[in-house]
Amino acid sequence: VAELNAILESEDADYLLIDIRQANEYVLGNIPGSANVPRGMLDFVINDEEYWSEQYLYPPEKDTQIIIYCKSGNRGILAALTLQKLGYTNVVNLEGGFMAFDPEFDESSATPQSSGGCGG
């Protein structure tokens, strides 16, 4: 977490921060500047220029520093291994995940952000 905070505070850092939780988890709370790519979709969209364009980002290069996180770190480990198998050489998992980054976050009291659509 300390290393991630240093990267986030650095103006020169070149990295991609990917939250691999489901969208409903992401909207409850996330690390600012992260892209939400659910783990089940990661393999399919990591190289997809159109997907990244919709996120206003470029697809990562094979040597881009990619920081993966999930809720507690377990899914992140699997996602990081997947990206390494796909040839990405600078992939790390945030140890402890979002819970370690924001230990005061209480998922049960979080209010989902409005998507702007109709819903109940």
Side-chain angles (χ1 to χ4, degrees), residues 85-98:
K85 287 179 181 178
L86 290 173
Y88 292 87
T89 59
N90 194 4
V91 182
V92 295
N93 176 48
L94 177 61
E95 186 175 341
F98 185 66

Side-chain angles (χ1 to χ4, degrees), residues 19-21 68-76 93 97-99:
D19 183 327
I20 58 148
R21 297 175 299 159
I68 298 287
Y69 77 93
C70 61
K71 181 177 179 180
S72 64
N74 295 330
R75 285 179 281 180
N93 176 48
F98 185 66
M99 291 175 19

